[in-house]
Amino acid sequence: MTGRRGFRPTPFVFSRDGLGSGFANLDGNRGSKTLESRERRLNMSITRGSAQSSPVINRVTSLINPIVKDLGLDLYDIEYSGGILRVVVDTQPGGPEGVSLDNIALITRLVSREFDHSDPIPGHYTLEVSSPGLERTLREPRHFQREVGKSVAVRLESPLNGERRVQGDLIAATDEAITVRLADKEMTEVNIPFSIIDRAKTVFNWGPAPKPGSKKSKEDGGNAS
């Protein structure tokens, strides 16, 4: 019988090997650091702009989607590469941002139970369940459409206006193309067909920390209680 190496929804670890199974909750500071580190690694990478499709993807999507929807969440993305199945869940478009770790753990257990019956992936594999994080991968038109108004970084397969990289505000997205407004003096708007997008992600603008003694710092301190 083929064993399966587990589910690692940070900071939860679900391991499988043959008929045995186990579940462990990594709590405390160690779990917190693991979560931050893993999310940072996942979100630093940006993945191909076109949607991935394969028999495995289609099978697992049909199994996972009802589970995620029953919890009022959105199956944001599924990627299968190098023996790793990455499942990304998010809140519904237009809803509050952020998926709780409890929901991540619950989805992991429910998906594991469903996979026990269906066995949709042959051989050994690792399944990771996570939320998109602050900087999220954009691969499908629906990903771009729900992020209109945010800053994005786009890498192109072929140059557009002499450039292979475009960064700016995403101001429009259709099923065929996106429009990005650059942060130049002219506020140039660039129309980018999906056919030439290699990778894309949202960009979280980290604001500078207020200087000690500044008005903002005093206001924050005064509201801390």
Side-chain angles (χ1 to χ4, degrees), residues 21-35:
S21 65
F23 181 79
N25 180 4
L26 304 182
D27 55 5
N29 292 332
R30 181 181 177 186
S32 174
K33 291 178 181 177
T34 303
L35 172 63

Side-chain angles (χ1 to χ4, degrees), residues 3 18 32 66 123 132 142 150 196 216 221:
S32 174
R142 64 187 182 92
K150 295 185 179 180
I196 66 170
K216 178 63 176 174

Side-chain angles (χ1 to χ4, degrees), residues 46-51 138-141 144 152-160 164 166 170 172-180 190-201:
I46 47 180
T47 318
R48 190 165 193 75
S50 58
L138 306 173
R139 296 199 305 128
E140 302 181 33
F144 290 89
V152 296
V154 184
R155 190 172 78 185
L156 308 178
E157 289 185 339
S158 56
L160 181 65
R164 290 285 296 268
V166 177
L170 179 64
T174 68
D175 289 341
E176 291 78 32
I178 63 173
T179 304
V180 177
V190 181
N191 191 63
I192 306 174
F194 278 113
S195 59
I196 66 170
I197 293 178
D198 180 25
R199 299 182 178 184
K201 68 172 182 176

Side-chain angles (χ1 to χ4, degrees), residues 109-120:
R109 293 195 295 268
L110 295 175
V111 169
S112 173
R113 189 180 305 163
E114 184 63 41
F115 280 19
D116 282 343
H117 298 297
S118 305
D119 201 17

Side-chain angles (χ1 to χ4, degrees), residues 1-7 15-20 56 59-60 80-86 115 119-128:
M1 177 175 291
T2 301
R4 295 208 296 266
R5 291 194 316 276
F7 293 66
S15 61
R16 291 185 48 83
D17 188 7
L19 294 176
V56 169
R59 284 197 298 269
V60 299
Y80 183 57
S81 176
I84 299 176
L85 179 70
R86 293 185 176 92
F115 280 19
D119 201 17
I121 304 177
H124 295 272
Y125 64 91
T126 298
L127 176 60
E128 299 180 349

